[in-house]
Amino acid sequence: MAKTIEAIVAGVRSGEIDPVALVDQHLKLIEENEPSTNAFITVLADHARQKAGEIASRVAAGDPVGRLAGVPVAVKDNLCLRGAPTTCASRILEHWHPPYDATVLSRLLAEDAIIVGKTNMDEFAMGSSTEHSARGPTHNPRDMTRVPGGSSGGSAAAVAARFAQAALGSDTGGSIRQPAAFCGVVGLKPTYGLVSRYGLVAFASSLDQVGPLAGSVADAALLLEIIAGHDHMDSTSLDAPAPRLAGQAADSAEGLSIGIVRELSDGADPEVKRRLDEAAESLERAGARVESCSIPEVSYALPAYYLLAPAEASSNLARYDGVRYGLRVNAADTPTMNARTRSVGFGAEVKRRIMLGTYALRAGYYDAYYGQAQRVRTLLIRAFDAAYERYDALLSPTAPTTAFRLKERVEDPIAMYLSDVCTIPSNLAGHPAISVPFGTGEAGMPVGVQVMAPALAEAVMVRVATILEQAAP
Amino acid sequence: MIGSAQDPEQAPVSREEVEQVALLCRLEIDDGEARELAAQMSAVLSHAAALLSLDTSGVDPTAHPLPLVNVLRTDEVRESLAQGDVLSQAPDVEAGRFRVPPVRRRQPEEP
């Protein structure tokens, strides 16, 4: 059993674990296996060794060290870190060095985490397989012929391959949870507004949220506790104290009522469904009341998302115009320069979404597409509210299938989008959700079970997830 | 209302619409891309068609999952990014400002 963050930090503090040696172990794994995995866009080996050395000196001098002292963490390449490029896996930001740190990274560094690298992703987080990356696809460490999921596929692969103890990703429609499920790790999307988005490159601002990927529920919970909390640099940041999640006891599900969402499980592969049934049984054995439930409105989430997210993206990505940062392809006049820069700088999927979003937002069409999707979003939120009057948490597969093969879906946008059908509803509602590995399915690939909870109910969600983790085959 | 959004359900996206939208979002696309985008956008929109016929009369739109209110802070000077740091990332600068080519679109006959 791999060590938890808590055990590593205790070891570093007591002097039993040398942070430099620990970082070197991970860097050695990266050196050996990264060429075939392609989980990183930038490996920060020198930075990581230097930071580990500083921590070692402070421990030796008897100075206090943080709650993540010496813990190697990988971060998605849409999170800004001073001194390193932030590319979003796009040509348009290929050489961009952000002049500031994302709040979540400042918080990790303040607790003495060691950032070992910036991970590969679908360009601007638009995709479900990490194949839409200007830096080439990431491979799934469980089977190199398969995708790691996406868009935080590099972060999920980095944890699965033990390149890092844990990672940060971002989740707009499932981009933390779906790759976590595909790679057999834990992935947590927090309540919207719980974690600062300052320094997260924007994709769809009403949906984006930063969260952890880790080898265990406890590690994910601890990371969330550290990155959560109000930030005056993000106007959508909730002015509420960060939840206490780490070290919670979860030996019983007594008193919990849990619904299995039929509409999200009916379409899943038989082996995924079988694992979901086993997960439900394990919760029942732990004392929960578990029953099947119906929320028909979740069926509208995917089509609503594919109007809302591209619309917000088309607006957010208007900033890449070759004027202030990033790529410029020169031309005789500015409008031509803008268009040429964007056409060369963006990949096919990003262009597709900008086009779709612009289409849906056109004068005269706005209400029929974007406005209607926003009203459907309200219907979905109401349906969730009604369900959470009966249940403390909801259960579903994280994705309808296990990891598919590279190139299998990359030419078919609809098939690709369908892999997010179970994760998108929580983003539209702004609710937290977590994917927990629960056995394997087709070809021995990992299956993820998703636990969803109402806004700010991360504690209940983590409790259920911990029980599932302990019961997992 | 400009344009006619009357039949968003049926109408597949035409090449002309694709070209018009590309102009709006500042993308240069060639014939092949335009054809492909027309087909792919039509496919996604037909997937969304089920939404368009839902009765949502009297339902307020959700723009955001949180009840957002305007966030104000006290009017005090805080540290901000240094001008040099920001300009260091620009493709072209002059005298502390971003430099761009002429803003007016050049006509082909102009020198």
Side-chain angles (χ1 to χ4, degrees), chain A residues 84-260:
Chain A
T86 292
T87 72
C88 292
S90 181
R91 276 195 73 186
I92 215 158
L93 284 179
E94 202 174 357
H95 303 294
W96 184 58
H97 281 70
Y100 57 92
D101 284 335
T103 298
V104 289
L105 301 192
S106 305
R107 289 186 179 173
L108 290 187
L109 292 169
E111 294 291 352
D112 296 320
I114 295 175
I115 297 176
V116 294
K118 308 285 304 286
T119 56
N120 201 3
M121 55 188 279
D122 287 294
E123 184 179 3
F124 285 104
M126 298 178 194
S128 311
S129 67
T130 317
E131 292 171 289
H132 296 300
S133 164
R135 307 294 283 266
T138 298
H139 296 248
N140 191 320
R142 297 296 194 100
D143 176 348
M144 295 299 234
T145 67
R146 291 175 191 269
V147 302
S151 66
S152 312
S155 290
V159 175
R162 312 251 341 115
F163 294 163
Q165 172 74 16
L168 292 186
S170 66
D171 192 313
T172 304
S175 280
I176 289 173
R177 292 160 285 159
Q178 184 257 28
F182 280 14
C183 292
V185 301
V186 174
L188 192 164
K189 183 201 92 75
T191 300
Y192 185 86
L194 187 61
V195 175
S196 168
R197 295 186 297 117
Y198 179 69
L200 167 70
V201 177
F203 158 18
S205 303
S206 82
L207 303 161
D208 297 341
Q209 198 53 189
V210 180
L213 298 99
S216 67
V217 176
D219 280 4
L222 176 61
L223 272 182
L224 174 59
E225 209 178 277
I226 285 164
I227 61 173
H230 182 66
D231 176 18
H232 69 83
M233 296 301 281
D234 175 1
S235 63
T236 62
S237 164
L238 281 169
D239 201 354
R244 306 259 317 249
L245 298 168
Q248 270 205 105
D251 38 12
S252 149
E254 212 71 57
L256 288 180
S257 178
I258 292 162
I260 304 169

Side-chain angles (χ1 to χ4, degrees), chain A residues 31-82:
Chain A
E31 207 175 289
E32 286 166 5
N33 301 320
E34 167 63 2
S36 53
T37 313
N38 199 29
F40 288 102
I41 288 176
T42 310
V43 176
L44 300 167
D46 293 344
H47 162 89
R49 286 200 182 96
Q50 188 200 333
K51 178 92 189 176
E54 284 168 23
I55 294 165
S57 319
R58 277 164 51 204
V59 171
D63 292 337
V65 290
R67 287 187 288 168
L68 295 174
V71 177
V73 179
V75 301
K76 191 173 181 177
D77 204 31
N78 58 355
L79 291 165
C80 293
L81 179 68
R82 261 188 100 109

